[in-house]
Each structure stands twice: as C-alpha cells, then as structure tokens.
Amino acid sequence: MMTGKRLVISALVLTLVQIGFLSWIIAGRAAILRNGKEVLLKIEPVDPRDLLRGDYIILGYDISRIPVKMIANIPEGKFSSDDTPIVVRLKKGTDGYWTPTTAWFGKAPGPASAEEADISGHVAASWDLRGEGMTIAPDYGIERFYLPEGEGLAIQGDMRVRPFGIKLALAADGTAQIKALVDGDKTLFEEPLY
C-alpha cells in the first residue's frame, strides 16, 4: 500500500516523463522545420473536410505514385512489394517544383548531391512490381494539411484553377514535415515551429 507521499512523488515522476516525451516529439518536429532542406512539391487536392478536426486537404503529389521502373533495387524475380521503407530522390525542376528521379526500397546507396534531396516513405505489401507502367503509392506522412475552419472548400476550388504547392522541410534521414501551403509565390498558411 502506497502512502500519500509516495503517491504524490509517483504522480510527479509520471507527469515529468510524459512532459519529457511530448517535448521530445515537438522538439524533433521543430528541428526538421527549422533546419531541414526546403523543397516545393506541386499538389492536387482530394478531400476538404474531417468532421472531427475541421477543414483539411488530402494532398496528392508527383511522388504519390512512383513508377516501378524508377525503383533501382528491385531483386530479379520479385513480383510484389513487401511492407518496407522507400527512399525517393528528388531534383528541382526549372519551374521550381521538385520531382522524383529514382527510388530505392530500404535505403539509398549514397547521399543525395547538393542539388538533390531524399524523402523517406513507406510502401505497403502486395504492390505489383511486374507490369510495364505499374506504379506504387508510398506514404510519406505529409498527405494531409489542416486549414483554419471554413477555408478548405475555397482553397480546394482555387486548386482546381491554378497550381498550388507545399513547402516541405526534409531532415537528413529523409523525414518530411509540411512547412507551408503556397499559392504561386504567396504563402497562404505556414506551420508554426511549436
């Protein structure tokens, strides 16, 4: 049986552990936003509402569908994907948007050059790797962007008229965080560090 003093000390220790864990998560995200390599991806909207969280946009990118022929390390005779990480190498185009150039299951064989960047994602099992023209759809953790209440439908309508982009911050290991939603040269919404 715990005494009152031990119970209070245990509760304080548990509270400090929880605060420390949450602070570690927030600081890691902030470090990527502050220090990560910035890339701009062209986006396509999919859906503007979440009944519990308000307006958001599900985002599709050029990197949302990777052609199987772009994956450099598929073992011969491999017919379907495993549940595995993927690294996609991006290069900046003349229009300012970054596009995929090659990809690898697992890890990239070497670091990206100064004018390239690597983004890490995850591929679910059972994607067909055999056919000509086949694609896979990695998940990068950047497919959803929340907006202020009431602005999702208007922005989605504008996205169908002109191109929008997402500024990402990429950590050295390829972890991505959404930094901002942009309309041409104008930043519409920027994620706070904390």
Side-chain angles (χ1 to χ4, degrees):
M1 174 120 168
M2 281 194 158
T3 65
K5 189 175 183 179
R6 279 190 161 179
L7 186 61
V8 169
I9 290 172
S10 296
L12 284 173
V13 168
L14 181 61
T15 301
L16 290 174
V17 168
Q18 289 176 337
I19 290 170
F21 180 71
L22 291 173
S23 298
W24 176 69
I25 291 172
I26 293 167
R29 181 181 177 281
I32 294 171
L33 289 172
R34 187 176 42 253
N35 304 324
K37 183 168 188 166
E38 195 171 283
V39 300
L40 181 64
L41 299 177
K42 193 178 291 185
I43 58 174
E44 301 167 358
V46 179
D47 187 352
R49 295 268 320 149
D50 180 335
L51 294 176
L52 298 176
R53 296 187 190 173
D55 286 358
Y56 73 95
I57 305 169
I58 292 179
L59 305 168
Y61 306 95
D62 288 341
I63 60 172
S64 296
R65 294 298 234 172
I66 301 295
V68 169
K69 65 183 177 186
M70 189 180 282
I71 303 169
N73 64 342
I74 298 175
E76 190 159 332
K78 183 88 170 154
F79 297 125
S80 65
S81 67
D82 297 325
D83 190 29
T84 186
I86 188 169
V87 174
V88 178
R89 180 133 314 150
L90 306 173
K91 189 167 185 144
K92 190 174 186 178
T94 56
D95 60 357
Y97 291 103
W98 293 63
T99 57
T101 59
T102 191
W104 300 271
F105 287 131
K107 294 186 177 194
S113 69
E115 47 290 323
E116 297 175 319
D118 288 341
I119 184 169
S120 297
H122 186 267
V123 177
S126 302
W127 284 96
D128 188 355
L129 302 175
R130 294 175 288 183
E132 184 66 30
M134 299 303 290
T135 61
I136 61 169
D139 178 18
Y140 303 99
I142 54 169
E143 288 76 18
R144 199 178 272 205
F145 185 76
Y146 286 88
L147 301 163
E149 188 69 33
E151 300 196 24
L153 289 173
I155 289 175
Q156 183 181 17
D158 289 344
M159 286 181 174
R160 299 194 189 291
V161 178
R162 59 187 183 274
F164 278 63
I166 285 287
K167 277 186 192 172
L168 295 180
L170 295 175
D173 68 354
T175 302
Q177 292 289 333
I178 294 177
K179 209 169 184 179
L181 173 66
V182 297
D183 178 1
D185 292 334
K186 181 181 175 190
T187 298
L188 298 178
F189 300 101
E190 194 162 5
E191 284 289 319
L193 286 179
Y194 296 100

